Amino acid sequence: MPAETIKGLAEAIGLIGAGVAMGFGAIGPGIGEGQAAGKAVEGVRMRPEAAPIITRTMLIGQAVAETGGIFALVIAILLVFITKATTIPVAIAYLSAGISIGMGAIGSSIGQGMAAASACEAVARIPNFSDKIITFMLIGQSAASTPSIFALVVSLLLMFIAKPTTISLAMAYLAAGISVGMGAIGSSVGQGMGAAAACDAVARRPSFSDKVITFMLIGQSAASTPSIFALVVSLLLMFSVKDAGIVKTAAYLGAGISMGFGAIGPGYGCGFAAEEGTRAAGYGFSKYSVALRTMLIGQAVAQSTAVYAMVIALILIYVV
Amino acid sequence: MGDIGKIYAWAFKIGNYEIVVNYMTIIWTWIVMAILIILAYLAGKGAKLVPVSRITLFFDWLIDGFRGIVFDTLGEELGRKYFGFIMTIFLFVMTSNVIGIIPGSVCPTQDLNTTLGLGLLVFFVVHGSAIYYKGLWGYLKSYAEPFLLLLPLNVVGEIAKVISHSFRLFGNILGGSIIIIVVGYLVKEWVLPIILNGFFGVFVGIVQAFVFAMLALVYLAVAIVED
Amino acid sequence: MAVEITGKELVKAAAYIGAGIAMGFGAIGPGIGEGFAAGKACEGVSKNPEQAPLITRTMLIGQAVSESTGIYSLVIALILMFVLVK
């Protein structure tokens, strides 16, 4: 192909990355903030005199849920205006950056939106506790943003630090984007479910609030573990692979697919366990440590397929 | 923008090996240690029956809060043994995360070496304590629960725990600092980055420090507390 | 961008991508299902703490059965990576 066409093609692929980033990045905030709005409307119907505080809670929660979309917007703007791909491998790296933040923003905004929704419902039930409820919502939401921060970090590294020179390396970077991007979806939704349950629990029994927060944070940490594995695989794919033939390139791609999709289910499942555990903490137990251990054992088994996916990914990167 | 992932390091050769020293991380770790020592000294000086010094009151409140959680999870006598450990981890990690608010600073926890080191520290304490309290055979048996078939999975799971423990802290703090750099690059005023720094740096730093300490406590409790 | 690709190499490459897809998609289901079981166990233990050992044992048995397809995916992925490609 003449050099002119290659440069055009490279720039085109880079711009597709921007489209992917914002296109998929807009899914999450839409769903999550809509959930919050719906629950807020329901709350106002139940308790019209609390409408101002409910609306304030909704707006704060929605603002935090928006951050995933803002990350995607920032990456998209950078891809359109600041960075210009001139070779195909670099263009593929930019496409991967778009995939990374585009997918990564979906889950985090949905999860944070669910937490905001639950907070609105709780505030409607007991407007006097709104300060505590909003605090718990913010803490839970900030923990739920972790996977999307990982996706953002990988996006930025792919755009500014990685300079692939061959198609093979570029495929490894594409796999890195898929790994951390898809890997963030399940975990953040799961963490958001835990945060939602915490807002609900603290409104029911404010005296147990320190148990609730402990359960929420520990449950959320277990739910975020698959996305951490995805981050590790992404970093390895970016920084410790060498140029190789088509076989090894396919192995890198397989590693990214394995870890990326493999983190969806366990993240969501552990989030369900975190949600139930946190809700139970609100009802109060007599044997707090037994319940904590049950939640941890259950989550540890639920994470096992994420561990398998990471093992397969590592074998694909290093052994075969 | 090019210095997004920049690590200030010296590399020098000794014989055939190349040694890399991240000097900024080490310097700021010393600064964090100095801050903690000075604060501890000042808090101790004001320790009376009814303290009036603000530093003493702050540490009183902090220690009281943690005391409830640690003693609930570990029980009376184990709690007394490990309370200092958990509290120190929390204070060190929190100070390391929050110190990033100073312009031109480097969070010690932004460096994978620090977080991985802390993760390995927790790993050795947890497994060492498990061997100490359950005996070597009891400890090895615990890997075969609940089914013997799960033995390799349990072992891999333990290693995965260390990885997730360290990388969670690393990813969050590094991510926060990268976000500040990017926003500072896009928005050339000083106001917005400082407000953002408040959220990402301080708030996320405190939450992640709490999560790190809590997870260390929980790993310990699962390993050594008998039902 | 001209590359020499032999048939054997193509087979190997496809096998590795297949291994990735197998484990990647195969991990979704057991993760969701086992998490659901863990959640219900937490609920059960909170309502009935004396039954905790029985509840935990039932949860683990149920989760072990749900794990089976995840193990099948792991086996297929390992076969694709190590056995077929000579």
Side-chain angles (χ1 to χ4, degrees), chain A residues 70-71 74 78 152 156, chain B residues 1 4 175-197 200:
Chain A
I70 294 184
F71 292 165
V74 165
L78 287 174
L152 179 69
L156 290 170
Chain B
M1 273 305 253
I4 261 189
S177 80
I178 287 185
I179 289 175
I180 306 298
I181 295 180
V182 173
V183 174
Y185 171 75
L186 286 178
V187 178
K188 297 201 197 296
E189 303 298 333
W190 284 112
V191 176
L192 197 52
I194 293 183
I195 299 179
L196 270 185
N197 218 344
F200 282 109

Side-chain angles (χ1 to χ4, degrees), chain B residues 61-216:
Chain B
W61 169 73
L62 208 58
I63 292 182
D64 246 347
F66 262 85
R67 172 166 292 227
I69 300 177
V70 173
F71 278 80
D72 257 341
T73 318
L74 283 178
E76 269 300 319
E77 62 167 271
L78 285 174
R80 201 163 301 145
K81 285 194 183 147
Y82 289 102
F83 178 69
F85 175 59
I86 303 289
M87 198 67 207
T88 310
I89 289 185
F90 172 69
L91 286 174
F92 179 73
V93 174
M94 182 177 76
T95 319
S96 308
N97 295 347
V98 167
I99 209 163
I101 208 172
I102 303 176
S105 76
V106 163
C107 300
T109 36
Q110 203 173 307
D111 189 346
L112 186 57
N113 294 301
T114 313
T115 59
L116 206 49
L118 286 169
L120 285 175
L121 170 69
V122 170
F123 174 77
F124 284 123
V125 167
V126 166
H127 288 255
S129 307
I131 296 181
Y132 177 72
Y133 283 110
K134 285 193 186 160
L136 192 55
W137 178 239
Y139 166 73
L140 290 174
K141 237 176 37 151
S142 72
Y143 280 105
E145 287 178 21
F147 305 122
L148 184 57
L149 218 50
L150 292 180
L151 179 71
L153 299 174
N154 277 335
V155 173
V156 175
E158 289 296 320
I159 302 179
K161 266 206 255 183
V162 181
I163 296 179
S164 72
H165 203 202
S166 332
F167 273 84
R168 182 178 298 113
L169 185 60
F170 166 66
N172 269 295
I173 304 303
L174 181 68
S177 80
I178 287 185
I179 289 175
I180 306 298
I181 295 180
V182 173
V183 174
Y185 171 75
L186 286 178
V187 178
K188 297 201 197 296
E189 303 298 333
W190 284 112
V191 176
L192 197 52
I194 293 183
I195 299 179
L196 270 185
N197 218 344
F199 180 66
F200 282 109
V202 176
F203 188 63
V204 169
I206 296 180
V207 169
Q208 287 303 317
F210 184 70
V211 167
F212 193 87
M214 276 298 104
L215 280 179

Side-chain angles (χ1 to χ4, degrees), chain A:
Chain A
M1 278 197 247
E4 199 55 43
T5 317
I6 292 190
K7 275 183 70 173
L9 191 58
E11 202 169 321
I13 296 181
L15 291 177
I16 291 182
V20 166
M22 198 59 242
F24 285 97
I27 299 179
I31 297 180
E33 292 170 20
Q35 289 250 6
K39 285 290 185 178
V41 163
E42 196 177 316
V44 167
R45 174 191 64 84
M46 281 198 322
R47 209 179 271 241
E49 65 274 9
I53 184 68
I54 296 178
T55 310
R56 172 150 46 106
T57 310
M58 173 188 83
L59 289 172
I60 297 177
Q62 286 179 326
V64 181
E66 186 76 7
T67 54
I70 294 184
F71 292 165
L73 177 65
V74 165
I75 297 291
I77 290 184
L78 287 174
L79 280 172
V80 170
F81 291 118
I82 310 281
T83 56
K84 294 253 180 291
T86 46
T87 63
I88 301 266
V90 174
I92 294 182
Y94 291 167
L95 175 65
S96 175
I99 292 178
S100 165
I101 191 61
M103 300 297 166
I106 299 180
S108 102
S109 297
I110 293 182
Q112 291 174 321
M114 288 165 68
S118 171
C120 291
E121 191 180 347
V123 164
R125 197 177 311 124
I126 310 190
N128 283 341
F129 290 151
S130 65
D131 284 335
K132 203 156 205 170
I133 295 173
I134 292 183
T135 309
F136 275 40
M137 173 185 83
L138 286 175
I139 296 179
Q141 282 181 321
S142 97
S145 72
T146 302
S148 68
I149 292 183
F150 295 164
L152 179 69
V153 166
V154 168
S155 273
L156 290 170
L157 290 175
L158 281 169
M159 282 171 26
F160 293 110
I161 307 282
K163 294 270 178 275
T165 45
T166 65
I167 295 278
S168 161
L169 281 178
M171 282 299 159
Y173 293 151
L174 181 63
I178 294 177
S179 167
V180 79
M182 303 300 303
I185 300 181
S187 287
S188 346
V189 173
Q191 289 183 305
M193 289 162 66
C199 295
D200 178 67
V202 81
R204 289 183 194 281
R205 296 278 189 99
S207 50
F208 289 115
S209 59
D210 58 335
K211 297 280 197 296
V212 166
I213 249 248
T214 310
F215 264 70
M216 175 187 85
L217 287 175
I218 294 178
Q220 281 184 321
S221 307
S224 75
T225 305
S227 73
I228 295 176
F229 295 160
L231 172 71
V232 171
V233 168
S234 281
L235 291 175
L236 290 173
L237 279 168
M238 284 197 292
F239 292 119
S240 73
V241 295
K242 307 183 231 323
D243 192 11
I246 188 173
V247 172
K248 197 69 188 183
T249 308
Y252 294 151
L253 212 46
I257 295 177
S258 165
M259 192 65 243
F261 287 90
I264 301 180
Y268 181 74
C270 289
F272 193 86
E275 177 188 34
E276 288 293 337
T278 314
R279 184 163 317 204
Y283 289 129
F285 328 106
S286 46
K287 286 185 125 196
Y288 155 73
S289 55
V290 170
L292 186 61
R293 193 160 327 150
T294 311
M295 179 176 83
L296 283 171
I297 294 178
Q299 286 181 320
V301 181
Q303 274 169 31
S304 50
T305 44
V307 177
Y308 302 163
M310 179 167 76
V311 167
I312 296 290
L314 291 174
I315 296 180
L316 280 169
I317 297 177
Y318 288 118
V319 176
V320 295

